[in-house]
Amino acid sequence: ITNIAFNLATASEIEINIYNIKGQKVTTIINDKLRAGNHVLQWNGKDKNGKACASNIYFAQVKLNGKQSVIKKITLLK
């Protein structure tokens, strides 16, 4: 399990997607409106079909209110 922690200054629409090294979308962690404050979401290392992902490098893309805000590298080790 990988924790993704972030702070929202104001209530915002947030979308967090996980992509593999080839740029293919693996899964969506959240696509919803969240209140202002600190948040911690988890990725369980599985794809959108519930299949375990291989050990590799992945990227978490964060969009706030429809605009890309940050991309973070995630290393998944088993």
Side-chain angles (χ1 to χ4, degrees):
I1 293 175
T2 298
N3 290 324
I4 300 170
F6 56 94
N7 184 319
L8 296 175
T10 61
S12 303
E13 292 285 332
I14 186 162
E15 181 179 355
I16 300 177
N17 295 304
I18 304 294
Y19 292 87
N20 64 21
I21 197 91
K22 295 178 183 178
Q24 300 164 321
K25 184 155 80 167
V26 174
T27 193
T28 299
I29 304 271
I30 189 171
N31 187 3
D32 204 357
K33 186 170 185 172
L34 292 179
R35 61 176 170 69
N38 294 318
H39 300 274
V40 178
L41 300 176
Q42 294 182 334
W43 178 43
N44 60 5
K46 296 183 180 179
D47 66 14
K48 61 186 170 196
N49 299 316
K51 183 180 173 189
C53 294
S55 294
N56 210 334
I57 295 172
Y58 294 87
F59 298 92
Q61 177 192 52
V62 179
K63 289 184 180 180
L64 288 175
N65 299 317
K67 297 179 183 176
Q68 182 176 313
S69 116
V70 78
I71 295 177
K72 291 288 189 179
K73 185 168 80 170
I74 297 171
T75 303
L76 180 64
L77 298 174
K78 294 184 178 183

